[in-house]
Amino acid sequence: MPCCLAAPHALLRALHSAARRGTAQARHPHDPDHDHAPDAVSAVNLELVTLTEDRAVITWHTGVAGSDDGFGRMLPAVTEGEVVYGTHPAHLNRTAAEDRDTAHHYVELTDLEPGQTYYYQARSRGSAATPTPLHLVKGNAVGTSLHGFGTHAGPYSFTTPQPPPGRHLLSIALCNDLHLGETTAGLVTGMPLMRGISQRLGLGPYPEIMGRALVEEAHLRGARLLLAAGDISAGGAPRDLSEARRLLDGFGTHGQDYFVVRGNHDRRGRQGPHDGEREDNFLDAFPADGRGSDGDGPAYFARDLGGLRVLGLDTYEKRGNGAGSGGLSDEQLAWFRADVRAHKDQPTVVFGHHPLTVRHSPFPVTSGQRLNRRQARAILDAYAAAPGVFLHHAGHTHRNKRTLLPQARHVTLQEVGAVKEYPGGFCLLRIHTGGYALNYYKTSSAPAREWSERSRRVAAGLWPQYALGRSVRDRNSVTPRDLSGITPAAARMSAVPG
């Protein structure tokens, strides 16, 4: 969770109440992640995570009915899982099942038809799964309509979108907030009752588990490029950044197959040996030119990749302890505006850690959750005069949220949930000649699914109301757009410095 995140007045009572329950119940020495195989199970936390024109990913959790893990939640129950579905709510005549028993269920429906409405029910050992409640944000975790709500476990429904027009060119993984080196998720400054969530004893560090799962899943989903939008480390320590570099090198070559920008947690370090200098461990690990650096160059860059222009922003190019709004230097902002103006018609993706705006948050929007207001307006003004820019990817908020602003409605502002904790994944950008799709995927490895479920307890269990996305559209969308100037070779080319 971002260190600047504050709890809203509307949620304070719920948070404190949940935290008190956890404090009281924690006196009972249960192992909350010890797996059980009981006769009676309860299936909960149903979520329609990914929805494309021909597939859907559905997840849920099974627990021992009537049990308590010490935090007010059920003990995990290992059992089978299946999704029954069809094109009529009374005829769920197709089945997709998992290949192994688990408490952390992940079922992918394939060979769906574009533009078709499907009805489905997820179940384990005869128990139908109930949705993740998003009542505080008036959201819908399980479908594109309200069908099935108000009944016992559905069936729920979704309508598949049409695919992006034209021929597929390439896919890019968009990710952020790996936080290598972090040991406790969900600590909130100023709220002593808000206990963080740590990894189960005997298991590996969760940022490393989730980082490895990211690389594996991005490859599995066909990503040819990867853009990591900041907070690669928990505090900018050389050891953590080196481990992040090792993990991301599993995807490919830095500066060619994947690109990284700085977040507030990757800020410059302590005072250097010369007056006015500060160590920059981030640039030592991830030089902007992709070849090598003495740590004193800029951490922002532009690259041409087969007709696609990629701009990486350093949104914490400032002094500070990581709190407060993001900020660009005057030099970087001038460079950015000039570059966008010079390539205003070229298809362009911009990525940086801090979002330009934070809309519809159940948490109050503090300055620390976004980029400096004046600079955000300047960037939007640049977009308004640059029809080639089509996507701005940001992290920092640890949530899935799609925003369109009237100043530049042709640019999708996409916040992406953190890699390192629930919901735990990345967004796949699929570029076609006539448009693009954005689809969020949870990482699916068994250790990643276990940690994702454990870390949903962040914010006293209210974290899904913020992080998942209020609607399926916040994490899955299709936008028609002429992108025919991009070539399929984009992901195979060496990056040409802009």
Side-chain angles (χ1 to χ4, degrees), residues 1 5-8 11 15 358 361-366 369 459 462-463 466:
M1 182 185 293
L5 194 59
L11 292 180
L15 289 168
V358 179
S361 172
F363 294 90
V365 178
T366 64
Q369 289 178 261
L462 297 176
W463 189 237
Y466 174 81

Side-chain angles (χ1 to χ4, degrees), residues 183-491:
T183 58
T184 306
L187 292 175
V188 178
T189 302
M191 292 196 68
L193 289 176
M194 288 286 293
R195 299 190 304 158
I197 304 299
S198 300
Q199 177 63 289
R200 186 155 60 97
L201 291 176
L203 299 182
Y206 63 82
E208 296 178 21
I209 288 173
M210 301 304 284
R212 283 193 296 270
L214 159 71
V215 168
E216 294 169 1
E217 194 83 15
H219 276 305
L220 176 68
R221 299 297 176 182
R224 303 294 295 275
L225 290 171
L226 183 145
L227 307 180
D231 277 7
I232 309 304
S233 65
R239 177 179 179 180
D240 298 332
L241 287 162
S242 294
E243 179 61 21
R245 176 65 187 262
R246 186 186 69 81
L247 287 173
L248 291 173
D249 279 349
F251 184 85
T253 301
H254 174 240
Q256 178 175 316
D257 302 307
Y258 77 92
F259 300 88
V260 181
V261 293
R262 186 200 310 274
N264 55 301
H265 283 277
D266 307 311
R267 60 193 176 274
R268 290 177 182 267
R270 62 184 181 276
Q271 198 75 22
H274 304 291
D275 290 343
E277 290 186 359
R278 295 177 71 82
E279 293 180 356
D280 198 336
N281 299 322
F282 176 78
L283 274 182
D284 289 340
F286 298 103
D289 62 9
R291 294 185 295 273
S293 171
D294 57 9
D296 61 358
Y300 53 89
F301 55 86
R303 297 289 186 271
D304 274 326
L305 302 166
L308 174 68
R309 193 155 182 84
V310 175
L311 272 63
L313 300 181
D314 178 357
T315 65
Y316 207 77
E317 194 185 24
K318 55 182 281 187
R319 295 180 182 273
N321 62 1
S325 62
L328 283 61
S329 67
D330 291 341
E331 292 79 9
Q332 182 182 178
L333 185 59
W335 163 86
F336 173 81
R337 296 168 75 175
D339 191 278
V340 169
R341 184 169 56 249
H343 302 88
K344 62 186 179 66
D345 295 315
Q346 183 173 356
T348 300
V349 171
V350 181
F351 73 116
H353 186 61
H354 292 78
L356 304 183
T357 185
V358 179
R359 298 287 182 93
H360 305 118
S361 172
F363 294 90
V365 178
T366 64
S367 63
Q369 289 178 261
R370 59 175 177 247
L371 193 65
N372 171 279
R373 282 185 181 273
R374 176 185 62 82
Q375 294 183 341
R377 284 195 296 267
I379 289 173
L380 286 169
D381 288 343
Y383 289 165
V389 180
F390 64 93
L391 177 66
H392 184 115
H393 159 222
H396 190 58
T397 56
H398 295 207
R399 68 171 184 169
N400 293 309
K401 180 67 174 71
R402 178 180 185 268
T403 301
L404 299 178
L405 295 179
Q407 300 97 312
R409 295 195 67 85
H410 61 285
V411 181
T412 297
L413 308 181
Q414 184 67 51
E415 300 165 55
V416 178
V419 170
K420 61 101 174 179
E421 68 195 4
Y422 172 90
F426 65 97
C427 193
L428 188 68
L429 166 63
R430 295 184 290 129
I431 297 177
H432 289 232
T433 54
Y436 62 95
L438 291 165
N439 297 114
Y440 185 79
Y441 287 91
K442 290 181 181 178
T443 48
S444 60
S445 74
R449 295 292 304 122
E450 179 179 342
W451 169 252
S452 178
E453 182 61 31
R454 183 177 175 89
S455 62
R456 74 162 53 232
R457 303 169 185 172
V458 163
L462 297 176
W463 189 237
Q465 306 248 7
Y466 174 81
L468 178 65
R470 292 198 306 169
S471 70
V472 173
R473 187 168 174 77
D474 269 332
R475 53 190 180 273
N476 299 277
S477 63
V478 176
T479 305
R481 184 67 176 272
D482 182 7
L483 299 174
S484 57
I486 301 172
T487 70

Side-chain angles (χ1 to χ4, degrees), residues 45-51 55-59 109 120 140-144 157-159 468 471-472 475-476:
N45 301 339
L46 180 67
E47 295 169 2
L48 174 61
V49 181
T50 311
L51 181 63
R55 64 187 57 222
V57 176
I58 296 164
T59 64
L109 313 184
Y120 75 96
N140 182 344
V142 294
T144 58
S157 80
F158 60 82
T159 300
L468 178 65
S471 70
V472 173
R475 53 190 180 273
N476 299 277

